[in-house]
CSV table of all heavy atoms in Angstrom, one decimal:
chain,number,residue,atom,x,y,z
A,1,MET,N,0.9,-1.2,0.0
A,1,MET,CA,0.0,0.0,0.0
A,1,MET,C,0.9,1.2,0.0
A,1,MET,O,1.9,1.3,0.7
A,1,MET,CB,-0.9,0.0,1.3
A,1,MET,CG,-1.6,1.2,1.5
A,1,MET,SD,-2.5,1.2,3.1
A,1,MET,CE,-1.2,1.7,4.2
A,2,TYR,N,0.5,2.2,-0.8
A,2,TYR,CA,1.3,3.4,-0.9
A,2,TYR,C,1.0,4.3,0.4
A,2,TYR,O,-0.2,4.5,0.7
A,2,TYR,CB,1.0,4.2,-2.1
A,2,TYR,CG,1.7,3.7,-3.3
A,2,TYR,CD1,0.9,3.0,-4.3
A,2,TYR,CD2,3.0,3.8,-3.5
A,2,TYR,CE1,1.6,2.4,-5.4
A,2,TYR,CE2,3.7,3.3,-4.6
A,2,TYR,CZ,2.9,2.6,-5.6
A,2,TYR,OH,3.5,2.0,-6.7
A,3,VAL,N,2.0,4.7,1.0
A,3,VAL,CA,1.9,5.7,2.1
A,3,VAL,C,2.1,7.1,1.6
A,3,VAL,O,1.3,8.0,1.9
A,3,VAL,CB,2.9,5.4,3.3
A,3,VAL,CG1,2.9,6.5,4.3
A,3,VAL,CG2,2.6,4.0,3.9
A,4,CYS,N,3.1,7.2,0.8
A,4,CYS,CA,3.4,8.5,0.1
A,4,CYS,C,3.2,8.4,-1.4
A,4,CYS,O,3.9,7.8,-2.1
A,4,CYS,CB,4.9,8.8,0.4
A,4,CYS,SG,5.4,10.4,-0.3
A,5,LEU,N,2.1,9.1,-1.8
A,5,LEU,CA,1.7,9.0,-3.2
A,5,LEU,C,2.7,9.9,-4.0
A,5,LEU,O,3.0,9.6,-5.1
A,5,LEU,CB,0.3,9.5,-3.4
A,5,LEU,CG,-0.8,8.6,-2.8
A,5,LEU,CD1,-2.1,9.2,-3.0
A,5,LEU,CD2,-0.7,7.2,-3.4
A,6,CYS,N,3.1,11.0,-3.5
A,6,CYS,CA,4.0,11.9,-4.2
A,6,CYS,C,5.3,11.2,-4.6
A,6,CYS,O,5.8,11.4,-5.7
A,6,CYS,CB,4.3,13.2,-3.4
A,6,CYS,SG,2.9,14.2,-3.0
A,7,ARG,N,5.9,10.4,-3.7
A,7,ARG,CA,7.2,9.8,-3.9
A,7,ARG,C,7.0,8.3,-4.2
A,7,ARG,O,8.1,7.6,-4.3
A,7,ARG,CB,8.1,10.1,-2.8
A,7,ARG,CG,8.4,11.5,-2.5
A,7,ARG,CD,9.1,12.2,-3.7
A,7,ARG,NE,9.4,13.6,-3.3
A,7,ARG,CZ,9.6,14.5,-4.3
A,7,ARG,NH1,9.4,14.2,-5.5
A,7,ARG,NH2,9.9,15.7,-3.9
A,8,ALA,N,5.8,7.8,-4.3
A,8,ALA,CA,5.5,6.4,-4.5
A,8,ALA,C,6.3,5.5,-3.5
A,8,ALA,O,7.0,4.5,-3.9
A,8,ALA,CB,5.9,6.0,-6.0
A,9,VAL,N,6.1,5.8,-2.3
A,9,VAL,CA,6.8,5.0,-1.2
A,9,VAL,C,5.7,4.2,-0.5
A,9,VAL,O,4.6,4.7,-0.1
A,9,VAL,CB,7.4,5.9,-0.2
A,9,VAL,CG1,8.1,5.1,1.0
A,9,VAL,CG2,8.5,6.8,-0.8
A,10,THR,N,6.0,2.9,-0.4
A,10,THR,CA,5.0,1.9,0.2
A,10,THR,C,5.3,1.7,1.7
A,10,THR,O,6.4,2.0,2.2
A,10,THR,CB,5.0,0.6,-0.5
A,10,THR,OG1,6.3,0.0,-0.3
A,10,THR,CG2,4.8,0.8,-2.0
A,11,ASP,N,4.3,1.1,2.4
A,11,ASP,CA,4.5,0.7,3.8
A,11,ASP,C,5.6,-0.3,3.9
A,11,ASP,O,6.4,-0.3,4.8
A,11,ASP,CB,3.2,0.3,4.4
A,11,ASP,CG,2.6,-0.9,3.6
A,11,ASP,OD1,2.9,-1.1,2.4
A,11,ASP,OD2,1.8,-1.7,4.3
A,12,ARG,N,5.7,-1.2,2.9
A,12,ARG,CA,6.7,-2.2,2.9
A,12,ARG,C,8.1,-1.6,2.9
A,12,ARG,O,9.0,-2.0,3.6
A,12,ARG,CB,6.5,-3.2,1.8
A,12,ARG,CG,7.6,-4.3,1.7
A,12,ARG,CD,7.4,-5.2,0.6
A,12,ARG,NE,6.2,-6.0,0.9
A,12,ARG,CZ,5.8,-7.1,0.2
A,12,ARG,NH1,6.6,-7.5,-0.8
A,12,ARG,NH2,4.7,-7.7,0.5
A,13,GLN,N,8.3,-0.6,2.0
A,13,GLN,CA,9.6,0.1,2.0
A,13,GLN,C,10.0,0.8,3.3
A,13,GLN,O,11.1,0.7,3.7
A,13,GLN,CB,9.6,1.1,0.8
A,13,GLN,CG,9.6,0.5,-0.6
A,13,GLN,CD,9.5,1.6,-1.6
A,13,GLN,OE1,8.4,2.2,-1.7
A,13,GLN,NE2,10.5,1.9,-2.3
A,14,ILE,N,9.0,1.4,3.9
A,14,ILE,CA,9.2,2.0,5.2
A,14,ILE,C,9.6,1.0,6.3
A,14,ILE,O,10.6,1.2,7.0
A,14,ILE,CB,8.0,2.9,5.6
A,14,ILE,CG1,7.8,4.1,4.6
A,14,ILE,CG2,8.1,3.4,7.0
A,14,ILE,CD1,6.6,4.9,4.8
A,15,ARG,N,8.9,-0.1,6.3
A,15,ARG,CA,9.2,-1.1,7.3
A,15,ARG,C,10.6,-1.7,7.0
A,15,ARG,O,11.4,-1.9,8.0
A,15,ARG,CB,8.2,-2.3,7.2
A,15,ARG,CG,6.8,-2.0,7.8
A,15,ARG,CD,5.9,-3.2,7.8
A,15,ARG,NE,4.6,-2.8,8.2
A,15,ARG,CZ,4.2,-2.8,9.5
A,15,ARG,NH1,5.1,-3.1,10.4
A,15,ARG,NH2,3.0,-2.5,9.8
A,16,GLU,N,10.9,-1.9,5.8
A,16,GLU,CA,12.3,-2.5,5.5
A,16,GLU,C,13.3,-1.5,5.9
A,16,GLU,O,14.4,-1.9,6.4
A,16,GLU,CB,12.4,-2.8,4.0
A,16,GLU,CG,11.6,-4.1,3.6
A,16,GLU,CD,11.6,-4.3,2.1
A,16,GLU,OE1,12.1,-3.5,1.3
A,16,GLU,OE2,11.0,-5.4,1.7
A,17,SER,N,13.1,-0.2,5.7
A,17,SER,CA,14.1,0.8,6.0
A,17,SER,C,14.4,0.8,7.5
A,17,SER,O,15.5,0.8,8.0
A,17,SER,CB,13.6,2.2,5.6
A,17,SER,OG,14.4,3.2,6.0
A,18,VAL,N,13.3,0.6,8.3
A,18,VAL,CA,13.5,0.6,9.8
A,18,VAL,C,14.1,-0.8,10.2
A,18,VAL,O,15.1,-0.8,11.0
A,18,VAL,CB,12.1,0.7,10.5
A,18,VAL,CG1,12.2,0.5,12.0
A,18,VAL,CG2,11.5,2.1,10.2
A,19,GLU,N,13.7,-1.8,9.5
A,19,GLU,CA,14.3,-3.1,9.9
A,19,GLU,C,15.8,-3.2,9.5
A,19,GLU,O,16.6,-3.9,10.0
A,19,GLU,CB,13.6,-4.3,9.2
A,19,GLU,CG,12.2,-4.5,9.9
A,19,GLU,CD,11.3,-5.5,9.1
A,19,GLU,OE1,11.7,-6.0,8.1
A,19,GLU,OE2,10.2,-5.7,9.6
A,20,ASN,N,16.2,-2.3,8.5
A,20,ASN,CA,17.6,-2.3,8.1
A,20,ASN,C,18.4,-1.2,8.8
A,20,ASN,O,19.5,-0.9,8.5
A,20,ASN,CB,17.7,-2.0,6.6
A,20,ASN,CG,17.2,-3.3,5.8
A,20,ASN,OD1,17.4,-4.4,6.2
A,20,ASN,ND2,16.7,-3.0,4.6
A,21,GLY,N,17.8,-0.6,9.9
A,21,GLY,CA,18.6,0.2,10.7
A,21,GLY,C,18.1,1.7,10.9
A,21,GLY,O,18.6,2.4,11.8
A,22,ALA,N,17.2,2.1,10.1
A,22,ALA,CA,16.7,3.5,10.3
A,22,ALA,C,15.9,3.6,11.6
A,22,ALA,O,15.1,2.7,11.9
A,22,ALA,CB,15.8,4.0,9.1
A,23,SER,N,16.2,4.6,12.4
A,23,SER,CA,15.5,4.6,13.7
A,23,SER,C,14.7,5.9,13.9
A,23,SER,O,14.3,6.2,15.0
A,23,SER,CB,16.5,4.5,14.8
A,23,SER,OG,17.5,5.5,14.8
A,24,SER,N,14.5,6.7,12.9
A,24,SER,CA,13.7,7.9,13.0
A,24,SER,C,13.1,8.3,11.7
A,24,SER,O,13.5,7.8,10.6
A,24,SER,CB,14.7,9.1,13.4
A,24,SER,OG,15.6,9.4,12.4
A,25,PHE,N,12.1,9.2,11.7
A,25,PHE,CA,11.5,9.7,10.5
A,25,PHE,C,12.6,10.3,9.6
A,25,PHE,O,12.6,10.1,8.4
A,25,PHE,CB,10.4,10.6,10.8
A,25,PHE,CG,9.8,11.2,9.5
A,25,PHE,CD1,9.0,10.5,8.7
A,25,PHE,CD2,10.1,12.5,9.1
A,25,PHE,CE1,8.5,11.0,7.5
A,25,PHE,CE2,9.6,13.1,8.0
A,25,PHE,CZ,8.8,12.3,7.2
A,26,ARG,N,13.5,11.1,10.2
A,26,ARG,CA,14.5,11.8,9.5
A,26,ARG,C,15.4,10.8,8.6
A,26,ARG,O,15.7,11.0,7.5
A,26,ARG,CB,15.4,12.6,10.4
A,26,ARG,CG,16.5,13.3,9.7
A,26,ARG,CD,17.4,14.0,10.7
A,26,ARG,NE,16.7,15.2,11.2
A,26,ARG,CZ,17.2,16.2,11.9
A,26,ARG,NH1,18.5,16.2,12.1
A,26,ARG,NH2,16.5,17.2,12.3
A,27,GLU,N,15.7,9.7,9.3
A,27,GLU,CA,16.6,8.7,8.6
A,27,GLU,C,15.8,8.0,7.4
A,27,GLU,O,16.3,7.7,6.4
A,27,GLU,CB,17.1,7.6,9.6
A,27,GLU,CG,18.1,8.2,10.5
A,27,GLU,CD,18.6,7.2,11.5
A,27,GLU,OE1,18.3,6.0,11.5
A,27,GLU,OE2,19.3,7.7,12.5
A,28,VAL,N,14.5,7.7,7.7
A,28,VAL,CA,13.7,7.1,6.6
A,28,VAL,C,13.5,8.0,5.5
A,28,VAL,O,13.6,7.7,4.3
A,28,VAL,CB,12.4,6.6,7.2
A,28,VAL,CG1,11.5,6.1,6.1
A,28,VAL,CG2,12.6,5.5,8.2
A,29,ARG,N,13.3,9.3,5.8
A,29,ARG,CA,13.1,10.3,4.8
A,29,ARG,C,14.3,10.5,3.9
A,29,ARG,O,14.3,10.6,2.7
A,29,ARG,CB,12.7,11.6,5.4
A,29,ARG,CG,12.5,12.7,4.5
A,29,ARG,CD,12.2,14.0,5.1
A,29,ARG,NE,13.3,14.5,5.9
A,29,ARG,CZ,13.3,15.4,6.9
A,29,ARG,NH1,12.2,16.0,7.2
A,29,ARG,NH2,14.4,15.7,7.5
A,30,ALA,N,15.5,10.4,4.6
A,30,ALA,CA,16.8,10.6,3.8
A,30,ALA,C,16.9,9.4,2.9
A,30,ALA,O,17.5,9.6,1.8
A,30,ALA,CB,17.9,10.6,4.8
A,31,GLU,N,16.5,8.2,3.3
A,31,GLU,CA,16.7,7.0,2.4
A,31,GLU,C,15.6,7.0,1.3
A,31,GLU,O,15.9,6.6,0.2
A,31,GLU,CB,16.6,5.8,3.3
A,31,GLU,CG,16.8,4.5,2.5
A,31,GLU,CD,16.7,3.3,3.3
A,31,GLU,OE1,16.8,3.3,4.6
A,31,GLU,OE2,16.4,2.2,2.7
A,32,LEU,N,14.3,7.3,1.6
A,32,LEU,CA,13.3,7.0,0.7
A,32,LEU,C,12.6,8.3,0.1
A,32,LEU,O,11.8,8.2,-0.8
A,32,LEU,CB,12.2,6.2,1.4
A,32,LEU,CG,12.6,4.8,1.9
A,32,LEU,CD1,11.4,4.2,2.7
A,32,LEU,CD2,13.1,3.9,0.8
A,33,ASP,N,13.0,9.4,0.6
A,33,ASP,CA,12.3,10.7,0.1
A,33,ASP,C,10.9,10.8,0.6
A,33,ASP,O,10.1,11.7,0.1
A,33,ASP,CB,12.4,10.9,-1.4
A,33,ASP,CG,13.6,11.6,-1.8
A,33,ASP,OD1,14.3,12.2,-0.9
A,33,ASP,OD2,13.8,11.7,-3.0
A,34,VAL,N,10.4,10.0,1.5
A,34,VAL,CA,9.0,10.0,1.9
A,34,VAL,C,8.8,11.4,2.6
A,34,VAL,O,9.6,11.9,3.4
A,34,VAL,CB,8.7,8.8,2.9
A,34,VAL,CG1,9.6,8.9,4.1
A,34,VAL,CG2,7.2,8.8,3.2
A,35,GLY,N,7.6,11.9,2.3
A,35,GLY,CA,7.2,13.2,2.9
A,35,GLY,C,7.9,14.4,2.4
A,35,GLY,O,7.8,15.5,3.1
A,36,THR,N,8.6,14.4,1.3
A,36,THR,CA,9.4,15.5,0.9
A,36,THR,C,8.6,16.4,-0.1
A,36,THR,O,9.2,17.3,-0.7
A,36,THR,CB,10.7,15.1,0.3
A,36,THR,OG1,10.5,14.2,-0.8
A,36,THR,CG2,11.6,14.4,1.4
A,37,CYS,N,7.4,16.1,-0.4
A,37,CYS,CA,6.6,17.0,-1.4
A,37,CYS,C,5.5,17.7,-0.6
A,37,CYS,O,5.7,18.7,0.0
A,37,CYS,CB,6.1,16.1,-2.5
A,37,CYS,SG,5.5,17.0,-3.9
A,38,CYS,N,4.3,17.1,-0.6
A,38,CYS,CA,3.2,17.8,0.0
A,38,CYS,C,3.1,17.7,1.5
A,38,CYS,O,2.6,18.5,2.2
A,38,CYS,CB,1.8,17.4,-0.6
A,38,CYS,SG,1.3,15.7,-0.1
A,39,GLY,N,3.7,16.6,2.0
A,39,GLY,CA,3.8,16.3,3.4
A,39,GLY,C,2.6,15.7,4.1
A,39,GLY,O,2.6,15.4,5.3
A,40,ARG,N,1.6,15.4,3.3
A,40,ARG,CA,0.4,14.8,3.9
A,40,ARG,C,0.6,13.4,4.4
A,40,ARG,O,-0.2,13.0,5.3
A,40,ARG,CB,-0.8,14.8,2.8
A,40,ARG,CG,-1.4,16.1,2.6
A,40,ARG,CD,-2.7,16.0,1.9
A,40,ARG,NE,-2.6,15.4,0.6
A,40,ARG,CZ,-3.5,15.3,-0.3
A,40,ARG,NH1,-4.7,15.8,0.0
A,40,ARG,NH2,-3.3,14.9,-1.5
A,41,CYS,N,1.6,12.7,4.0
A,41,CYS,CA,1.8,11.4,4.4
A,41,CYS,C,2.7,11.3,5.7
A,41,CYS,O,2.8,10.2,6.3
A,41,CYS,CB,2.6,10.6,3.3
A,41,CYS,SG,4.2,11.4,3.0
A,42,VAL,N,3.2,12.4,6.1
A,42,VAL,CA,4.1,12.4,7.3
A,42,VAL,C,3.5,11.8,8.5
A,42,VAL,O,4.2,10.9,9.1
A,42,VAL,CB,4.7,13.8,7.5
A,42,VAL,CG1,5.5,13.9,8.8
A,42,VAL,CG2,5.5,14.3,6.4
A,43,PRO,N,2.3,12.1,9.0
A,43,PRO,CA,1.8,11.5,10.2
A,43,PRO,C,1.7,10.0,10.1
A,43,PRO,O,2.0,9.3,11.0
A,43,PRO,CB,0.4,12.1,10.4
A,43,PRO,CG,0.5,13.4,9.6
A,43,PRO,CD,1.4,13.2,8.5
A,44,GLU,N,1.2,9.5,8.9
A,44,GLU,CA,1.1,8.1,8.7
A,44,GLU,C,2.4,7.4,8.7
A,44,GLU,O,2.6,6.3,9.2
A,44,GLU,CB,0.3,7.8,7.4
A,44,GLU,CG,0.0,6.3,7.3
A,44,GLU,CD,-0.9,6.0,6.1
A,44,GLU,OE1,-1.4,6.9,5.5
A,44,GLU,OE2,-1.0,4.8,5.8
A,45,ALA,N,3.4,8.0,8.0
A,45,ALA,CA,4.7,7.5,7.9
A,45,ALA,C,5.4,7.4,9.3
A,45,ALA,O,6.0,6.4,9.7
A,45,ALA,CB,5.6,8.3,7.0
A,46,ARG,N,5.2,8.5,10.1
A,46,ARG,CA,5.7,8.5,11.5
A,46,ARG,C,5.1,7.4,12.3
A,46,ARG,O,5.8,6.7,13.1
A,46,ARG,CB,5.5,9.8,12.1
A,46,ARG,CG,6.4,10.9,11.7
A,46,ARG,CD,6.1,12.2,12.5
A,46,ARG,NE,6.8,13.3,12.0
A,46,ARG,CZ,8.1,13.6,12.4
A,46,ARG,NH1,8.7,12.8,13.2
A,46,ARG,NH2,8.7,14.7,11.9
A,47,GLU,N,3.8,7.2,12.2
A,47,GLU,CA,3.1,6.2,13.0
A,47,GLU,C,3.7,4.8,12.6
A,47,GLU,O,3.9,3.9,13.4
A,47,GLU,CB,1.6,6.3,12.7
A,47,GLU,CG,0.8,5.4,13.7
A,47,GLU,CD,-0.6,5.6,13.5
A,47,GLU,OE1,-1.1,6.8,13.4
A,47,GLU,OE2,-1.4,4.6,13.6
A,48,LEU,N,3.8,4.6,11.3
A,48,LEU,CA,4.3,3.3,10.8
A,48,LEU,C,5.8,3.0,11.3
A,48,LEU,O,6.1,1.9,11.7
A,48,LEU,CB,4.3,3.3,9.3
A,48,LEU,CG,4.7,2.0,8.6
A,48,LEU,CD1,3.8,0.8,9.0
A,48,LEU,CD2,4.5,2.1,7.1
A,49,ILE,N,6.6,4.0,11.3
A,49,ILE,CA,8.0,3.9,11.8
A,49,ILE,C,7.9,3.6,13.3
A,49,ILE,O,8.6,2.6,13.7
A,49,ILE,CB,8.7,5.2,11.5
A,49,ILE,CG1,9.0,5.4,10.1
A,49,ILE,CG2,10.1,5.2,12.3
A,49,ILE,CD1,9.4,6.8,9.6
A,50,ASP,N,7.1,4.3,14.1
A,50,ASP,CA,7.0,4.0,15.5
A,50,ASP,C,6.5,2.6,15.8
A,50,ASP,O,7.0,1.9,16.6
A,50,ASP,CB,6.1,5.0,16.2
A,50,ASP,CG,6.6,6.4,16.3
A,50,ASP,OD1,7.9,6.5,16.1
A,50,ASP,OD2,5.9,7.3,16.6
A,51,GLN,N,5.5,2.2,15.0
A,51,GLN,CA,5.0,0.8,15.2
A,51,GLN,C,6.0,-0.2,14.8
A,51,GLN,O,6.2,-1.2,15.6
A,51,GLN,CB,3.8,0.7,14.2
A,51,GLN,CG,3.1,-0.7,14.3
A,51,GLN,CD,1.9,-0.8,13.3
A,51,GLN,OE1,1.4,0.2,12.8
A,51,GLN,NE2,1.6,-2.0,13.0
A,52,THR,N,6.8,0.0,13.8
A,52,THR,CA,7.8,-1.0,13.4
A,52,THR,C,8.9,-1.0,14.4
A,52,THR,O,9.4,-2.1,14.8
A,52,THR,CB,8.4,-0.6,12.0
A,52,THR,OG1,7.3,-0.5,11.1
A,52,THR,CG2,9.3,-1.7,11.5
A,53,LEU,N,9.3,0.1,14.9
A,53,LEU,CA,10.3,0.1,16.0
A,53,LEU,C,9.8,-0.6,17.2
A,53,LEU,O,10.6,-1.3,17.9
A,53,LEU,CB,10.7,1.6,16.4
A,53,LEU,CG,11.5,2.3,15.3
A,53,LEU,CD1,11.6,3.8,15.7
A,53,LEU,CD2,13.0,1.7,15.3
A,54,PHE,N,8.6,-0.4,17.6
A,54,PHE,CA,8.0,-1.1,18.7
A,54,PHE,C,8.0,-2.6,18.5
A,54,PHE,O,8.4,-3.4,19.4
A,54,PHE,CB,6.5,-0.6,18.9
A,54,PHE,CG,5.9,-1.2,20.1
A,54,PHE,CD1,6.1,-0.7,21.4
A,54,PHE,CD2,5.0,-2.2,20.0
A,54,PHE,CE1,5.5,-1.3,22.5
A,54,PHE,CE2,4.3,-2.8,21.1
A,54,PHE,CZ,4.6,-2.3,22.3
A,55,GLU,N,7.6,-3.0,17.3
A,55,GLU,CA,7.6,-4.5,17.0
A,55,GLU,C,9.0,-5.0,17.1
A,55,GLU,O,9.2,-6.1,17.6
A,55,GLU,CB,7.0,-4.7,15.6
A,55,GLU,CG,5.5,-4.5,15.6
A,55,GLU,CD,4.9,-4.4,14.2
A,55,GLU,OE1,5.7,-4.7,13.2
A,55,GLU,OE2,3.7,-4.1,14.1
A,56,LEU,N,10.0,-4.3,16.6
A,56,LEU,CA,11.4,-4.8,16.6
A,56,LEU,C,11.9,-4.9,18.1
A,56,LEU,O,12.5,-5.9,18.4
A,56,LEU,CB,12.3,-3.8,15.9
A,56,LEU,CG,12.3,-3.9,14.4
A,56,LEU,CD1,13.1,-2.8,13.8
A,56,LEU,CD2,12.8,-5.2,13.9
A,57,ALA,N,11.5,-3.9,18.9
A,57,ALA,CA,11.9,-3.9,20.3
A,57,ALA,C,11.3,-5.1,21.0
A,57,ALA,O,11.9,-5.8,21.8
A,57,ALA,CB,11.5,-2.6,21.0
A,58,ALA,N,10.0,-5.4,20.7
A,58,ALA,CA,9.3,-6.5,21.3
A,58,ALA,C,10.0,-7.8,20.9
A,58,ALA,O,10.2,-8.7,21.7
A,58,ALA,CB,7.9,-6.6,20.9
A,59,ARG,N,10.4,-8.0,19.6
A,59,ARG,CA,11.1,-9.2,19.2
A,59,ARG,C,12.5,-9.3,19.9
A,59,ARG,O,12.8,-10.4,20.3
A,59,ARG,CB,11.4,-9.1,17.7
A,59,ARG,CG,10.3,-9.7,16.8
A,59,ARG,CD,10.7,-9.8,15.4
A,59,ARG,NE,10.1,-8.9,14.6
A,59,ARG,CZ,10.5,-8.5,13.4
A,59,ARG,NH1,11.6,-9.0,12.9
A,59,ARG,NH2,9.8,-7.6,12.7
A,60,ILE,N,13.2,-8.2,20.1
A,60,ILE,CA,14.5,-8.3,20.7
A,60,ILE,C,14.3,-8.7,22.2
A,60,ILE,O,15.0,-9.6,22.7
A,60,ILE,CB,15.2,-6.9,20.7
A,60,ILE,CG1,15.6,-6.7,19.2
A,60,ILE,CG2,16.4,-6.9,21.6
A,60,ILE,CD1,16.1,-5.3,18.9
A,61,SER,N,13.3,-8.1,22.9
A,61,SER,CA,13.1,-8.5,24.3
A,61,SER,C,12.6,-9.9,24.5
A,61,SER,O,13.0,-10.6,25.5
A,61,SER,CB,12.2,-7.5,25.0
A,61,SER,OG,10.9,-7.6,24.5
A,62,VAL,N,11.9,-10.4,23.5
A,62,VAL,CA,11.5,-11.8,23.6
A,62,VAL,C,12.6,-12.8,23.4
A,62,VAL,O,12.8,-13.8,24.0
A,62,VAL,CB,10.3,-12.1,22.5
A,62,VAL,CG1,10.1,-13.6,22.4
A,62,VAL,CG2,9.1,-11.5,23.0
A,63,ALA,N,13.5,-12.4,22.5
A,63,ALA,CA,14.7,-13.2,22.1
A,63,ALA,C,15.8,-13.2,23.2
A,63,ALA,O,16.6,-14.1,23.3
A,63,ALA,CB,15.3,-12.7,20.8
A,64,ALA,N,15.8,-12.1,24.0
A,64,ALA,CA,16.8,-12.0,25.1
A,64,ALA,C,16.6,-12.9,26.3
A,64,ALA,O,15.6,-13.4,26.5
A,64,ALA,CB,16.9,-10.5,25.5
B,101,LIG,FE1,4.1,12.1,0.7
B,101,LIG,FE2,2.9,14.0,-0.6
B,101,LIG,S1,2.1,12.1,-0.1
B,101,LIG,S2,4.9,14.0,0.2
């Protein structure tokens, strides 16, 4: 599903960016250009990044 229509960035790309080490909206934006045009996708992108970070943290704490 597209999160950012202006830059054609999908939820999968955002999740992959976080899983590959991005830990903030700024880092994901630098990698994918998400949110760099009209900006309407920024709240949804931020929420997706937070959710993915939360899921990663849960996986790490379960594995520890
Ligand atoms: Fe992402 Fe416009 S929808 S910048």
Side-chain angles (χ1 to χ4, degrees):
M1 170 185 87
Y2 283 105
V3 172
C4 179
L5 294 176
C6 295
R7 300 296 184 206
V9 178
T10 65
D11 58 336
R12 179 177 294 191
Q13 287 174 289
I14 293 172
R15 285 183 186 278
E16 285 175 357
S17 176
V18 174
E19 288 172 0
N20 289 329
S23 60
S24 66
F25 175 75
R26 179 182 290 194
E27 290 178 11
V28 173
R29 183 182 62 196
E31 182 182 337
L32 301 174
D33 267 354
V34 62
T36 57
C37 190
C38 74
R40 282 196 298 189
C41 60
V42 172
E44 187 176 349
R46 284 184 185 277
E47 190 174 321
L48 185 56
I49 291 164
D50 287 348
Q51 182 184 338
T52 306
L53 286 169
F54 181 80
E55 289 168 6
L56 283 174
R59 270 194 251 159
I60 289 169
S61 67
V62 166

